[in-house]
Amino acid sequence: MEAIHLKTVDPVSQNLFRSAAKHGVRLLWERYERLQPQDGFLRLGLSCPYGCMQGPCRIDPFGRGSEQGLCGLDRDGMVAAFLLRLCLHGVLETMNERGAGDTLSEKSWPHGLTKRFSKALKHLGNKPLSLREIDRSALLLQRPSESAEVLVEQALRLGILTLLLSERKAPSRKTQKRFDCQVGYGLLSEEKIFIGVAGQPAQKAIESLVRETSRGSASPYRILSLGDWIQTEKGFLPFACSSGEAELLLSTGSIHLLLAGPKTDPSLSELCKQMEIPVVMSEKMVPVKEILSLARHHFSTHSQHKTISEPSFIGQSSVAMTIEELKPLLKKRSIKKVALIGGSDTPQQPMGWLPVELATALLGRNYLVAGWGDAVLWMIKNGLASEDRESRAIPLDEQQSPILALKGLSDARRIGYLRGICFTGLKTCRDLTVALGLAGLGMDVCVASPLPLWGSEKVRNLLSERFADVGGTMTHYDHPANPEEILEWFLR
Ligand code: SF4
């Protein structure tokens, strides 16, 4: 308990954590501690990623054990292939979300960034980019057949491909200049029946639920996101918490039903089962009336602990969804430096620590700060994105980030003001692939979570050389980076 501040920077979350511990509820942090030390081979990229049944082969990082795999694969080939494997997952995740589309021609490239994409591809084999990159990568990962140089180049081509695919709008998405956004436990201070939504349920399902529960001014229901960015006709669902705090919130018993969409972590459903909170899987197409009845039944049959009663624990802001919305903010005369900060919660660091510390320090130095993901939820929650502030962080649409900001900066002729793009935490392979793609596009990128590249100096050098060809850099650390290190990087 004495290390509670190492789990989250939010004092309310710290209280909830104490209460969960008192009731014997096991949460993410406990699992994280029990998992230590996590697989050192994988963390360094020295666990063979090929589709091969002769393994698994691992290479000893200290040179005291095996130096090659059974087939003779060395550490450089293994780390490079591991990187390519992660990037292949990253591009597939993006295709799954945005669709493959039918063209990747130059005409479809992000407005204002065409020259950068063109230059990047020139330095990455000088071949046109197509969805065939995916087949080629899968073939390269069947058995070792190519050098580390080829694998690294292919990983970076997938990074660029992921950025281009990210540019596509998800089929169900509506376009609007900005959406209001609320974040914080204070949303639970009213006497309501709360339905928590996690993962990515189909937009139609969410919209019918929201429509049904917003009829009349005195609806007894409130629909809240448990950290995922879930868009409805009118905006994003209000966020009760960031994604890393979802279990903590469920452990309070304040949520009366969990609507779980695809990509919901299994731990959330498991915790609901333990706490007898009803769970509805969104793909099961359960009628709205039935969902509401389940939530109402739980509410009326379980004692309501009022763990969160302070309505002021809510941060508000608006999320920029288009370049038109962003451009005037970027064009302010006083702005000469821009920092982009985004990423997911991770138990490697106290949750909220990096985004809050960094945004506070950079706003204080007259940087324009824009952010996405959990990182910006923490900024909103802490009032750093409040529109009442003279200098505030700008939340960006999660799905288009950070490309939306690059397009806005380019359109406003302010791209030269960009001091760097920082990923405060990585969750999916897509995050890593986007980070690589951005550095491959000539941006300065910093990743706070350790990457599985420390098993090969050659691969790290190859990446640095490729990024340098187009004026980009990627800074990463062999430990979870602290705010001082990243601040130093921004102020370099
Ligand atoms: S590809 Fe080579 S290193 Fe990898 S598992 Fe097979 S034999 Fe081992």
Side-chain angles (χ1 to χ4, degrees):
M1 274 313 105
E2 64 280 1
I4 209 160
H5 63 286
L6 299 178
K7 295 177 169 50
T8 165
V9 294
D10 185 339
V12 180
S13 301
Q14 290 173 3
N15 281 339
L16 300 184
F17 187 84
R18 277 187 201 97
S19 161
K22 208 164 93 190
H23 292 99
V25 183
R26 293 181 169 187
L27 300 170
L28 153 87
W29 292 275
E30 187 171 333
R31 291 197 302 279
Y32 178 70
E33 277 158 24
R34 289 170 81 103
L35 282 165
Q36 301 311 310
Q38 284 176 295
D39 189 323
F41 294 99
L42 275 169
R43 293 187 68 143
L44 298 172
L46 290 174
S47 183
C48 182
Y50 281 98
C52 164
M53 298 306 289
Q54 289 187 311
C57 300
R58 292 166 159 194
I59 291 178
D60 186 287
F62 306 109
R64 293 194 290 254
S66 54
E67 290 174 3
Q68 290 178 313
L70 194 62
C71 62
L73 181 67
D74 65 10
R75 60 167 56 219
D76 303 322
M78 201 174 269
V79 173
F82 196 66
L83 183 68
L84 179 58
R85 164 74 64 193
L86 295 174
C87 290
L88 180 57
H89 280 294
V91 78
L92 289 172
E93 279 166 31
T94 313
M95 263 176 66
N96 188 35
E97 274 175 22
R98 313 293 162 86
D102 43 10
T103 174
L104 277 173
S105 75
E106 232 171 277
K107 281 187 201 145
S108 68
W109 291 4
H111 180 66
L113 299 172
T114 313
K115 276 191 189 156
R116 282 183 179 266
F117 275 96
S118 189
K119 187 174 172 188
L121 287 175
K122 206 167 151 196
H123 285 276
L124 292 173
N126 202 17
K127 290 175 287 190
L129 200 64
S130 79
L131 295 176
R132 298 299 305 267
E133 306 292 335
I134 295 171
D135 299 345
R136 174 154 195 267
S137 306
L139 277 174
L140 285 172
L141 288 167
Q142 278 185 4
R143 281 283 290 188
S145 59
E146 287 289 0
S147 64
E149 284 83 351
V150 170
L151 300 174
V152 165
E153 180 175 292
Q154 187 61 19
L156 294 182
R157 285 179 68 82
L158 292 186
I160 301 292
L161 179 61
T162 300
L163 292 180
L164 288 174
L165 290 173
S166 305
E167 176 61 9
R168 297 170 194 279
K169 199 159 68 79
S172 56
R173 278 202 129 207
K174 301 198 169 63
T175 311
Q176 186 143 335
K177 270 172 114 179
R178 54 184 269 169
F179 276 135
D180 290 336
C181 174
Q182 290 185 310
V183 188
Y185 292 127
L187 291 163
L188 292 131
S189 60
E190 290 172 280
E191 190 74 19
K192 296 260 182 199
I193 302 171
F194 292 107
I195 296 178
V197 185
Q200 292 298 326
Q203 197 168 342
K204 245 182 167 174
I206 290 295
E207 273 171 11
S208 28
L209 188 60
V210 170
R211 221 173 293 129
E212 187 68 29
T213 52
S214 45
R215 278 198 195 134
S217 54
S219 167
Y221 300 97
R222 185 117 206 229
I223 318 294
L224 298 172
S225 162
L226 302 186
D228 288 290
W229 291 76
I230 299 165
Q231 198 185 323
T232 69
E233 271 170 354
K234 293 188 181 152
F236 292 104
L237 282 186
F239 293 86
C241 57
S242 65
S243 72
E245 300 169 306
E247 283 182 36
L248 198 52
L249 177 56
L250 285 171
S251 76
T252 64
S254 309
I255 298 291
H256 306 107
L257 180 138
L258 172 69
L259 181 65
K263 298 191 188 169
T264 300
D265 279 351
S267 60
L268 298 190
S269 307
E270 186 52 38
L271 184 56
C272 287
K273 206 163 126 193
Q274 276 172 37
M275 301 194 57
E276 298 176 350
I277 300 169
V279 178
V280 172
M281 309 306 285
S282 70
E283 301 100 307
K284 295 221 165 134
M285 312 290 280
V286 175
V288 170
K289 283 199 170 23
E290 202 175 312
I291 295 176
L292 299 183
S293 153
L294 280 166
R296 195 169 52 240
H297 179 73
H298 181 80
F299 177 82
S300 56
T301 53
H302 288 71
S303 57
Q304 301 304 311
H305 314 281
K306 207 79 197 118
T307 36
I308 302 157
S309 56
E310 184 47 71
S312 64
F313 294 155
I314 302 178
Q316 310 219 35
S317 191
S318 60
V319 181
M321 306 293 290
T322 61
I323 305 183
E324 292 72 43
E325 174 66 14
L326 205 50
K327 222 161 92 176
L329 302 169
L330 299 174
K331 275 199 144 172
K332 278 190 185 163
R333 288 167 69 96
S334 57
I335 302 294
K336 298 281 183 249
K337 295 168 191 166
V338 177
L340 303 181
I341 301 172
S344 309
D345 281 346
T346 159
Q348 292 174 340
Q349 309 265 24
M351 288 186 191
W353 190 39
L354 287 181
V356 172
E357 293 284 321
L358 290 173
T360 306
L362 293 169
L363 287 170
R365 286 172 168 83
N366 206 24
Y367 274 61
L368 182 139
V369 175
W372 71 94
D374 283 321
V376 86
L377 292 184
W378 281 98
M379 295 178 208
I380 299 172
K381 204 157 109 128
N382 282 273
L384 294 166
S386 162
E387 296 188 54
D388 300 336
R389 284 176 64 108
E390 200 176 314
S391 164
R392 70 172 182 102
I394 302 169
L396 301 169
D397 179 25
E398 162 85 351
Q399 279 214 359
Q400 305 176 68
S401 293
I403 280 281
L404 175 66
L406 298 184
K407 288 195 296 184
L409 285 165
S410 171
D411 219 57
R413 300 187 188 285
R414 295 284 166 99
I415 197 101
Y417 290 178
L418 181 60
R419 289 289 177 268
I421 307 170
C422 171
F423 289 76
T424 52
L426 303 180
K427 185 168 184 183
T428 63
C429 293
R430 178 173 177 266
D431 295 339
L432 168 67
T433 315
V434 166
L436 286 168
L438 290 168
L441 209 57
M443 304 294 160
D444 290 316
V445 176
C446 173
V447 182
S449 300
L451 300 179
L453 296 172
W454 292 95
S456 166
E457 191 179 354
K458 179 174 174 177
V459 170
R460 295 198 303 278
N461 289 340
L462 280 171
L463 283 168
S464 301
E465 285 160 20
R466 287 314 185 98
F467 297 146
D469 286 342
V470 287
T473 58
M474 191 165 82
T475 301
H476 57 105
Y477 308 83
D478 60 2
H479 57 277
N482 62 47
E484 289 76 31
E485 287 171 296
I486 299 179
L487 194 57
E488 200 177 298
W489 175 79
F490 269 118
L491 303 178
R492 67 201 180 279

